[in-house]
Structure formats: C-alpha cells, structure tokens
Amino acid sequence: MPRAAPTIRIEEGDARDLPGVAPGSVELVVTSPPYPMIPQWDESFRHWGARTYPEMHERLAEVWTACHRALVPGGLLAVNIGDALRTGDDGFRLWPNHVDVERACEAAGFRPLPYILWKKPTNKPNAFLGSGFLPPNAYVTLDCEFILLFRRGALRAFPRADLADPTAGTRRPNGIGGSRRSGTMSAGYGRDRSAAARARSHRRSLGA
Ligand SMILES: C[S@@+](CC[C@H](N)C(=O)[O-])C[C@H]1O[C@@H](n2cnc3c(N)ncnc32)[C@H](O)[C@@H]1O
C-alpha cells in the first residue's frame, strides 16, 4: 500500500537547543555548521561568545549533544565540514576541523562511521603548487571537504513490513554487505557484528 506523503515542519532557532524537537524523535540529521577559523563564520561564533579555535569547537559540541538527544536509537548524523587555513599568532597553519568534529561527536556519544571525502573541483590552475614552481615556497591547498557520518548507538532493526528485501538488515541498499548465504561481513555497517546478530534474531522471531 502506498505510504502517505510526509508532512514538513520548519522550526527556526538555535541548533544547540532544538526546543521544538522531541528527544528521540529524529531519524536523520544533515547539517553544515559554521566552520571554525573561516572568516565568514567568525560573527556566528562571536555571537556564541567564542573567539578561539577550542572555544568554537566547544560551542559546536553543544550542537552535537543536542543532535544526539534528538535522534532515535540507530539514527544517523551527517556533518559537512571543511578544514581551515588561517594565520594566527603562531603564523600560518591548518585548523583540522574534521578531526575535532570526529572527536567531539564521539565524546557526545556517537559511533563514528566511514566518512565521505567530498572533492571540490578547483578552477585554480596553481592549486597544488600555490607559489608556482619554486620548491622552497611550494604549498598544497585544500580542495576537499568532509561529510562525516555518525550513528547513535547500534543498527536499527526494521519491521519486516518495511523491508523491500527480506534478507536486509545486514545488507546495505546498494547490495554491498553481509548476507546470511555468504556469511561474510564487509566494512562499515556489516562489521557491526552485534547489530547483525540482533537483526538475524529479529528475522527469526518474524519467521523469516
Ligand atoms: C556553513 S553554513 C551552511 C549553509 C547551508 N548549507 C545553506 O546552504 O544554507 C552555516 C549555517 O549555520 C547557521 N547558523 C549559525 N549559527 C546557528 C545556530 N546557533 N543554530 C543554527 N544554525 C546556525 C548559519 O546561519 C549558516 O546558515
């Protein structure tokens, strides 16, 4: 039977509070937060009382905690984030935002999953050797961002009626992953052996 179209509700507010979002009510969070150490987002962080790199990530950590609270067990969080290059008191350096977001989300209770590396094409012909071909001053520029993926807790077990493929549960929608027939486990979801065992037991209880 065709499902009813979902309703859409737009809530405007601070992502650290999410007052209109009930705990444990969200299946998926997709977000692109203000990036620490990118001048475009300095004002957002100043508004949060954050001026230094650690303070910026402390504020973002409050967002990850709010996301963890909002997600259902097994719910997913996708964070688009890029690293930053900036000259501070110590001179020019990399600010590895993706590393700090990985750590902060793990500390907030998330289980880190393999990330997507988003290669952003650059139209700068000198992107790799930014100073030209003079080796002493050659530098590499940033040309990618990250879509970091996390799950709240273990895999969800879906009711049989929701599954197009009755062997799903250890298998990803693209067909990659473990199956009962092959008894193999691939990287990513398939490696979550306890969740796979729970999915098998769930199927057994359904008579599958
Ligand atoms: C990197 S941008 C993402 C832009 C987004 N992908 C888009 O296409 O509009 C960061 C966004 O975070 C928003 N933002 C800043 N502080 C926020 C807060 N406390 N709660 C929720 N969003 C916030 C900014 O307004 C901005 O739109």
Side-chain angles (χ1 to χ4, degrees), residues 13-15 32-34 41 44 48:
D14 190 324
S32 173
W41 302 114
S44 289
W48 282 354

Side-chain angles (χ1 to χ4, degrees), residues 117-128:
L117 191 54
W118 178 17
K119 177 111 171 126
K120 299 182 95 171
T122 173
N123 52 12
K124 288 188 210 156
N126 59 354
F128 182 68

Side-chain angles (χ1 to χ4, degrees), residues 12-18 31-35 40-41 43-45 47-48 60 63 80-81 145:
E12 202 172 331
D14 190 324
R16 294 174 300 169
D17 297 332
L18 305 175
T31 182
S32 173
Y35 295 4
Q40 185 182 354
W41 302 114
E43 187 49 44
S44 289
F45 284 109
H47 186 68
W48 282 354
L60 286 184
V63 176
N80 177 209
I81 190 85
E145 292 192 6

Side-chain angles (χ1 to χ4, degrees), residues 47-71:
H47 186 68
W48 282 354
R51 289 174 184 274
T52 67
Y53 182 72
E55 287 169 349
M56 293 176 186
H57 277 283
E58 279 165 26
R59 296 288 84 75
L60 286 184
E62 295 172 39
V63 176
W64 312 138
T65 299
C67 292
H68 191 270
R69 196 167 48 236
L71 280 165

